[in-house]
């Protein structure tokens, strides 16, 4: 037999056999055909079509996804106004060159910047423009049937043949039953049986792209309608979920605090914490929980529960997390005439380290008349150690529990600045209009107090008594809508990607016809979408099973021993 040149399927065919082979491998993928590299003719419509083809191409989608990932990096490295406005302001103040530059580039609010939103929207449009045509093509393939066998199966990558004494009809029936049993979509076409498998590959590919769109929508929805607030609560005090109750609060651009805040309230009954007493993990919390009583709605029934780390209280779509704990010294302050101006009031101090060394400010708005008879306010810098190491030791706590509490106060008088009409931190003294109380040595007046001790202020200004310690807990209330959709989209994206990577799309044909000598000739061939050893192996396994049902017959013109059809060559050989 004269040899013929082999051509690549899908190229311009040179023979009828090549055309037939190209048809056999057609539509193994729903990916849109490559467009001609030639630019469209000039004109508005032509340029719009060209731009749309570029935007919906796979390479542009991957480029946009890469840009989105790169654009998110500054949001992790540079302080964001939506997360911590104070750090962003400090960065501006400390960087005269980078601060203004970052402001112009929108790097202090990356995720709401114009350039990040543009990448986000373009990626969204690109995915939709890519998915819609592929979906319709895939639906068309599902509704169709595998194409008939090429005239020359020997040209396919995996091929085997044998002769059998069984009738062609029996072989075709056995092949059809076998392929259906192996979950091929199979049917008879003329003198052959055609089967196809691996549709889940393209289904996984489409699921991956759809899941990306779901994730993009979920993230956008979550950012627009989310809210997050923090509240420090002393034991015995409560909280109602209204905007004015929060210590700090931030939300998405479309969040409406008047209508979107879930109505609930809770009160802190007790904070309970125990810590590792010895060993390398000394001071590590073992029990860290807050016992609260909460109610849902305006007239909800009170219910008791315990909030632990990573075990938040969930109420009407909002989650209440326990995020921090500290101490609040209880002080009684009297003026020079013995009148109580602060009656056993607890002042929360902020922890500085893992052993809850704490600092803060105590403010008494009306507690002192100076020697000139002018009424002044009192302020104290406070430094608290729950476990003081003793006289001569460093001014740091040695353990987070209340084993040996000590409070150090330094005293000031004057104007605290709290009535200036603009917000001020309650944890720091504004010393702009304050004066130091002077001790006998002419230095700032300060004293260390144990529980029950009293500090007498100079100039008859009054006394301060350390009555005890109260504990506090900090809670973070968050609502992140569509987080379940984002998680579901991520799971589907992973499964879809795995399917598109590991499932192989392939076709198998079985032809059985009578030879010139009246003996049935069986031919089997396979074709995969991509190069994979699975096609020859699978074809060999199928051929072995079919061979048992239609065993080989001797060939009068050849070697009497029929070759085993399960030995399928990696490349088809022409006969």
């Amino acid at each position: 037999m004269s040899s013929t040149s082999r051509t690549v399927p899908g190229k311009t065919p040179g023979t009828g056999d090549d055309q037939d082979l190209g048809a056999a491998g057609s539509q193994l993928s729903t990916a849109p055909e490559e467009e001609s590299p030639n630019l469209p003719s000039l004109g508005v419509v032509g340029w719009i079509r060209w731009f749309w083809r570029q935007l919906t191409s796979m390479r542009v989608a991957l480029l946009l996804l890469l840009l989105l990932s790169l654009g998110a990096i500054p949001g992790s490295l540079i302080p964001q106004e939506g997360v911590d406005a104070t750090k962003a302001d400090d960065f501006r103040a400390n960087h005269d060159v980078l601060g203004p530059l970052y402001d112009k580039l929108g790097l202090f609010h990356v995720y709401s910047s114009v350039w990040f939103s543009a990448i986000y929207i373009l990626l969204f449009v690109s995915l939709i423009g890519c998915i819609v045509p592929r979906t319709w093509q895939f639906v068309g393939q599902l509704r169709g049937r595998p194409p008939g066998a090429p005239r020359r199966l020997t040209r396919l990558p995996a091929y085997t043949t044998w002769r059998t004494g069984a009738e062609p009809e029996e072989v075709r029936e056995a092949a059809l039953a076998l392929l259906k049993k192996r979950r091929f979509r199979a049917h008879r076409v003329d003198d052959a049986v055609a089967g196809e498998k691996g549709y889940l590959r393209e289904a996984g590919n489409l699921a991956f792209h759809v899941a990306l769109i779901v994730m993009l929508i979920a993230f956008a929805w979550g950012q627009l309608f989310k809210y997050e607030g923090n509240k420090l609560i002393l034991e015995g005090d409560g909280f109602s979920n209204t905007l004015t109750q929060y210590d700090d609060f931030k939300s998405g651009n479309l969040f409406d605090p008047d209508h979107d805040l879930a109505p609930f309230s809770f009160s802190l009954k007790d904070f309970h914490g125990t810590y590792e007493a010895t060993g390398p993990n000394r001071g590590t919390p073992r029990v860290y929980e807050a016992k609260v009583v909460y109610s849902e709605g305006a007239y909800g029934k009170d219910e008791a529960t315990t909030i632990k780390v990573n075990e938040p209280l969930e109420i009407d779509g909002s989650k209440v997390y326990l995020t921090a704990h500290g101490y609040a010294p209880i002080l009684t302050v009297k003026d020079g005439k013995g009148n109580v101006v602060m009656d056993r009031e607890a002042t929360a101090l902020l922890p500085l380290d893992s052993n809850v060394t704490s600092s803060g400010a105590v403010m008494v708005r009306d507690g002192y008349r100076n020697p000139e008879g002018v009424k002044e306010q009192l302020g104290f810098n406070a430094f608290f150690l729950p476990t003081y190491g003793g006289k001569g030791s460093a001014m740091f706590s040695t353990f987070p529990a209340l084993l040996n509490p000590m409070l150090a106060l330094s005293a000031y008088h004057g104007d605290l600045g709290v009535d200036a009409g603009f917000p001020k931190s309650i944890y720091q003294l504004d010393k702009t209009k304050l004066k130091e109380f002077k001790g006998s040595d002419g230095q700032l007046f300060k004293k260390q107090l144990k529980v029950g001790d009293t500090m007498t202020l100079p100039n008859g200004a009054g006394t301060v008594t350390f009555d005890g310690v109260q504990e506090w807990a900090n809670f973070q209330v968050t609502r992140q809508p569509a987080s379940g959709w984002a998680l579901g989209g991520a799971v589907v994206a992973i499964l879809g990607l795995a399917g598109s990577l590991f499932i192989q799309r392939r076709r198998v044909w079985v032809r059985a016809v009578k030879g010139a000598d009246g003996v049935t000739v069986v031919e089997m061939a396979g074709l995969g979408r991509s190069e994979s050893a699975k096609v020859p192996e699978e074809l060999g396994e199928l051929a072995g099973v079919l061979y048992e049902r239609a065993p080989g017959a001797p060939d009068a013109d050849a070697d009497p021993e029929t070759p085993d059809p399960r030995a399928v060559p990696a490349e088809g050989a022409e006969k």
Side-chain angles (χ1 to χ4, degrees), residues 8-29:
V8 180
K11 296 291 184 181
T12 302
T15 66
D17 292 341
D18 296 333
Q19 294 178 359
D20 198 46
L21 183 59
S26 66
Q27 296 182 356
L28 272 178
S29 171

Side-chain angles (χ1 to χ4, degrees), residues 126-143:
S126 177
L127 288 173
I128 293 179
C130 179
I131 288 174
V132 172
R134 292 175 70 112
T135 302
W136 284 115
Q137 293 179 25
F138 183 57
V139 170
Q141 292 184 27
L142 291 178
R143 296 177 63 184

Side-chain angles (χ1 to χ4, degrees), residues 227-231 246-250 475-478:
Y227 77 85
E228 178 182 302
N230 290 279
K231 179 63 177 179
Y246 284 99
D247 295 331
D248 63 81
F249 185 87
K250 53 181 177 288
F475 297 92
Q476 184 180 74
V477 183
T478 65

Side-chain angles (χ1 to χ4, degrees), residues 535-550:
V535 175
E537 292 174 0
E538 187 173 37
L539 185 68
E541 182 182 354
L542 292 171
V545 176
L546 187 60
Y547 185 78
E548 294 176 357
R549 302 181 185 181

Side-chain angles (χ1 to χ4, degrees), residues 72-121:
I73 294 177
S76 303
L77 301 179
I78 300 173
Q80 299 296 291
E81 291 181 339
V83 177
D84 195 330
T86 302
K87 286 186 177 180
D89 292 338
D90 291 342
F91 189 95
R92 291 188 182 95
N94 297 328
H95 298 81
D96 297 334
V97 177
L98 290 180
L101 177 62
Y102 287 177
D103 261 326
K104 292 180 180 179
L105 296 177
L107 297 182
F108 290 115
H109 48 89
V110 167
Y111 305 110
S112 59
S113 63
V114 174
W115 57 268
F116 190 86
S117 301
I119 298 174
Y120 194 94
I121 294 172

Side-chain angles (χ1 to χ4, degrees), residues 211-285:
L212 283 182
I213 292 179
V214 172
M215 291 172 62
L216 289 174
I217 295 175
F219 289 145
W221 189 271
Q223 290 297 315
L224 291 174
F225 291 94
K226 73 173 184 178
Y227 77 85
E228 178 182 302
N230 290 279
K231 179 63 177 179
L232 187 151
I233 304 177
L234 296 169
E235 287 179 329
D237 287 349
F239 166 79
S240 179
N241 193 31
T242 58
L243 188 59
T244 56
Q245 289 275 299
Y246 284 99
D247 295 331
D248 63 81
F249 185 87
K250 53 181 177 288
S251 62
N253 294 335
L254 299 183
F255 180 82
D256 184 0
D258 295 330
H259 300 91
D260 296 338
L261 281 175
F264 67 86
S265 61
F266 66 91
S267 58
L268 175 62
K269 296 304 179 183
D270 178 61
F271 177 86
H272 179 55
T274 61
Y275 308 89
E276 197 71 42
T278 58
N281 295 323
R282 185 176 186 270
T284 302

